[in-house]
């Protein structure tokens, strides 16, 4: 605890110097971070393979590339973001000037998850640096090789009084960090832990950004192109072995399309990872599960569904390897809401398909559940697509693909309700770690002089009455 407090106090001393850095100085820091990432990326690929068998190409595509893209976007736009934005002219104070001024929150805490341990650590750090904050960041202890790499990476670029990395299990160090009076806490993880983070942050009046998760549905419309949808859903579900906060969690499908869709998804899984269960398990392109108890949970979910009447055209509990932390890509049909697999986020490569007999039933199903982080719609009927959008809510939506909505840095990414609070990416990340300050500069003429007490002064009465008449005409 003493060490944490020392870092926290050192950053408190440094925060005003960092807060007053120019765009040029912050850009230099981002470029130094970028350079270190590019030069040392192979160390990350080796580390993430050791932690949970993530292949280099997938690690580059889903972690290194988007992190570099985020840094580059911040560098390109930061001077404009930092400029004061003028407020609208006020008729009552015609010579006054008002601006919206962005200033750093101050000392921020970033708590990253294990599933994308590099991207979801670096991306918010880059935003916090762009906004001019000092940072304490905690990587996940569930990916120890990546955590050690991240600590070394950051230490090679920043002094601890500006950006510090602390390690440890959440139960050991998380609450100690949350007890410190940070100005903002940025957490990525489960809704359950997110609620605890928010409760702790409220005790010290810290702002919070919670990037959580939930059961993200896939809506299949009657006019869907099965072959196209199946390939994209198979990829979206199996990338990172389904350990993605915006992974398609389950499918809501018209009855006549359930079997064709399930078979097509199974065929695409075979094409991507191998024709047989043995080949898929040995495939270097298929990510493993981060820890054995998660694989054990996946097996129990599949067994419960099968016991209650579901069928698995591919995968199944028999092929789970708990010791090897491997869950096979599994598609389930005949899934019903009372099955355990429909009661919590799966976070694994298991895809339940639920039969719906109408679009109204599909929409009602989504409305009856907590708001998801993502929602996917496959089909061509624009009216039906619009209807789903108007009658549901989610953190983000992608039509006729999966996952890709997270890539557009000109748009916010975040959850709603149980799937999260706040957002980031691009300017939204800059704003998340900034306080938008209202600044008014008094002009040469001050109309308020006619409204100071005592109100009965004869010299002010006539002009004050005229101003009040103008106000009534403008305001009604």
């Amino acid at each position: 605890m003493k060490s944490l407090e020392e870092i926290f106090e050192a950053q408190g001393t440094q925060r005003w110097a960092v807060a007053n850095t120019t765009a040029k100085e912050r850009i230099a820091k981002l470029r130094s971070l970028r350079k270190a990432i590019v030069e040392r990326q192979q160390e990350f690929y080796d580390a993430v393979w050791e932690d949970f068998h993530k292949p280099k190409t997938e690690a580059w595509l889903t972690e290194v590339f988007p992190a570099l893209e985020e840094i580059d976007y911040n560098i390109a736009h930061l001077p404009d973001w930092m400029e004061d934005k003028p407020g609208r002219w006020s008729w009552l104070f015609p010579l006054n000037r008002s601006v919206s001024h962005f200033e750093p929150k101050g000392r921020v805490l970033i708590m990253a998850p294990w599933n994308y341990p590099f991207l979801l650590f670096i991306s918010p750090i880059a935003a916090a640096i762009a906004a001019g904050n000092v940072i304490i960041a905690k990587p996940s202890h569930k990916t120890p090789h990546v955590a050690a790499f991240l600590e070394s990476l950051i230490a090679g670029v920043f002094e601890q009084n500006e950006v510090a990395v602390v390690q440890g299990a959440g139960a050991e160090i998380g609450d100690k960090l949350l007890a410190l009076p940070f100005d903002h806490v940025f957490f990525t993880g489960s809704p359950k832990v997110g609620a605890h983070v928010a409760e702790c942050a409220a005790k010290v009046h810290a702002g919070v950004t919670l990037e959580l998760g939930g059961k993200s549905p896939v809506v299949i419309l009657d006019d869907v192109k099965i072959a196209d949808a199946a390939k994209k859903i198979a990829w979206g579900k199996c990338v990172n072995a389904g350990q993605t906060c915006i992974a398609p969690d389950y499918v809501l499908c018209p009855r006549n399309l359930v079997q064709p869709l399930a078979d097509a998804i199974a065929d695409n899984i075979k094409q991507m990872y191998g024709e047989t269960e043995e080949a898929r398990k040995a495939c270097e392109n298929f990510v493993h599960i981060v820890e054995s108890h998660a694989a054990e949970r996946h097996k129990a979910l599949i067994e419960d569904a099968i016991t209650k009447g579901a069928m698995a055209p591919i995968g199944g509990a028999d092929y789970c390897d708990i010791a090897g932390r491997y869950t096979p890509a599994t598609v389930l049909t005949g899934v019903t809401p009372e099955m355990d697999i429909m009661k919590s986020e799966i976070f694994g490569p298991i895809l339940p398909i639920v039969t719906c007999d109408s679009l109204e039933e599909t929409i009602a199903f989504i409305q009856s559940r907590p708001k998801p982080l993502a929602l996917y719609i496959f089909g061509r009927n624009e009216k039906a697509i619009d209807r789903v959008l108007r009658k549901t809510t989610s953190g983000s939506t992608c039509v006729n693909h999966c996952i890709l909505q997270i890539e557009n840095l000109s748009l916010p990414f975040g959850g709603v309700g149980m799937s999260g609070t706040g957002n980031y990416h691009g300017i939204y990340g800059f704003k998340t770690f900034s306080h938008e300050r209202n600044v008014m500069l008094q002009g040469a003429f001050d109309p308020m002089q006619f409204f100071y007490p005592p109100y009965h002064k004869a010299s002010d009465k006539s002009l004050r009455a005229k101003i009040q008449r103008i106000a009534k005409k403008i305001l009604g």
Side-chain angles (χ1 to χ4, degrees):
M1 187 62 183
K2 182 179 180 182
S3 177
L4 289 179
E5 288 179 338
E6 287 175 349
I7 295 171
F8 187 76
E9 291 306 318
Q11 291 196 346
T13 301
Q14 183 70 5
R15 66 150 293 187
W16 291 110
V18 175
N20 283 280
T21 51
T22 63
K24 184 178 180 180
E25 291 169 320
R26 296 180 194 180
I27 287 171
K29 295 174 184 178
L30 291 170
R31 283 180 172 152
S32 294
L33 176 60
R34 188 191 196 285
K35 182 173 183 289
I37 291 170
V38 171
E39 291 176 347
R40 299 183 61 181
Q41 59 184 302
Q42 186 59 49
E43 294 178 54
F44 163 64
Y45 300 138
D46 294 340
V48 78
W49 177 265
E50 287 294 323
D51 281 333
F52 62 117
H53 203 269
K54 183 179 286 191
K56 180 178 178 178
T57 300
E58 188 166 310
W60 173 84
L61 177 66
T62 62
E63 302 222 48
V64 174
F65 167 71
L68 293 176
E69 186 181 30
E70 180 92 27
I71 292 171
D72 290 344
Y73 194 87
N74 289 348
I75 289 171
H77 296 279
L78 185 56
D80 177 62
W81 295 346
M82 288 179 64
E83 287 288 330
D84 288 348
K85 303 301 184 288
R88 293 181 63 185
W89 174 81
S90 169
W91 69 270
L92 184 58
F93 307 111
L95 299 185
N96 287 14
R97 184 166 65 92
S98 294
V99 298
S100 179
H101 173 74
F102 291 97
E103 58 190 21
K105 290 280 184 73
R107 288 181 285 194
V108 304
L109 171 63
I110 294 171
M111 306 178 80
W114 56 263
N115 60 325
Y116 291 90
F118 182 85
L119 173 64
L120 300 182
F121 181 89
I122 293 295
S123 183
I125 284 179
I129 290 169
N133 297 277
V134 292
I135 305 153
I136 292 180
K138 191 190 93 61
S140 174
H141 72 284
K142 293 183 179 182
T143 46
H145 295 87
V146 174
F149 163 72
L150 291 171
E151 183 174 16
S152 173
L153 178 77
I154 295 299
V157 180
F158 300 98
E159 296 294 329
Q160 269 202 331
N161 65 355
E162 188 167 339
V163 184
V165 177
V166 297
Q167 292 198 56
E172 298 170 2
I173 198 172
D175 284 352
K176 292 178 181 179
L177 285 166
L178 291 167
L180 296 171
F182 284 97
D183 297 293
H184 195 85
V185 176
F186 187 105
F187 170 82
T188 304
S190 71
K192 181 180 179 180
V193 179
H196 176 68
V197 170
E199 183 180 3
C200 292
K203 294 177 182 177
V204 295
H205 297 278
V208 293
T209 302
L210 304 175
E211 296 297 333
L212 308 177
K215 295 184 73 65
S216 297
V218 178
V219 174
I220 301 295
L221 301 179
D222 289 329
D223 63 347
V224 67
K225 293 182 177 180
I226 292 286
D228 178 69
K231 177 176 288 188
K232 293 169 180 175
I233 294 169
W235 173 78
K237 187 61 178 181
C238 291
V239 68
N240 208 39
Q243 299 167 115
T244 304
C245 58
I246 55 171
D249 191 274
Y250 64 97
V251 177
L252 298 170
C253 185
R255 187 175 299 275
N256 64 311
L257 298 179
V258 169
Q259 200 59 50
L261 180 67
D263 292 340
I265 292 173
D267 288 343
N268 276 279
I269 290 171
K270 293 175 183 177
Q271 293 170 25
M272 292 177 185
Y273 302 108
E275 282 293 329
T276 66
E277 293 293 345
E278 292 74 17
R280 290 192 287 278
K281 183 177 180 181
C283 181
E284 291 189 351
N285 296 320
F286 193 78
V287 179
H288 284 199
I289 306 305
V290 72
E291 53 190 357
S292 57
H293 83 78
E296 187 174 14
R297 172 179 168 271
H298 293 155
K299 182 177 182 179
L301 290 175
I302 297 171
E303 289 176 337
D304 174 79
I306 296 296
T307 299
K308 294 175 180 175
M311 293 173 287
I314 189 171
D318 291 344
Y319 303 102
C320 291
D321 180 357
I322 294 170
R325 294 182 293 139
Y326 171 78
T327 299
T330 300
V331 176
L332 295 172
T333 59
V335 174
T336 55
E338 68 272 7
M339 294 177 182
D340 291 346
I341 202 162
M342 293 303 297
K343 295 177 181 177
S344 62
E345 186 176 7
I346 298 168
F347 229 65
I350 310 165
L351 185 67
I353 301 179
V354 178
T355 300
C356 288
D357 289 317
S358 67
L359 187 56
E360 289 79 8
E361 184 180 340
T362 295
I363 291 171
F365 192 96
I366 297 170
Q367 290 176 341
S368 68
R369 292 169 171 256
K371 300 170 184 176
L373 185 57
L375 184 147
Y376 302 104
I377 308 170
F378 284 87
R380 292 166 288 173
N381 187 322
E382 292 185 4
K383 289 184 178 180
I385 293 168
D386 181 65
R387 189 173 176 188
V388 174
L389 289 172
R390 285 187 292 104
K391 294 196 172 185
T392 63
T393 184
S394 62
S396 64
T397 296
C398 190
V399 178
N400 288 320
H401 219 304
C402 297
I403 313 292
L404 302 188
Q405 73 274 17
I406 196 173
E407 194 274 338
N408 191 334
L409 297 178
S410 68
L411 298 175
F413 175 77
V416 57
M418 287 295 289
S419 61
T421 300
N423 51 49
Y424 70 126
H425 287 182
I427 191 172
Y428 301 96
F430 175 81
K431 287 184 174 182
T432 284
F433 290 105
S434 300
H435 167 59
E436 195 167 356
R437 188 176 189 174
N438 174 344
V439 179
M440 176 179 277
L441 297 91
Q442 176 62 50
F445 174 67
D446 179 19
M448 283 303 299
Q449 64 185 296
F450 303 108
F451 290 88
Y452 297 144
Y455 298 121
H456 60 273
K457 287 170 61 179
S459 58
D460 295 343
K461 188 174 181 180
S462 176
L463 185 54
R464 186 167 64 245
K466 290 179 180 179
I467 294 174
Q468 288 176 313
R469 284 198 296 272
I470 293 172
K472 287 181 180 178
K473 287 182 179 179
I474 293 174
L475 302 177

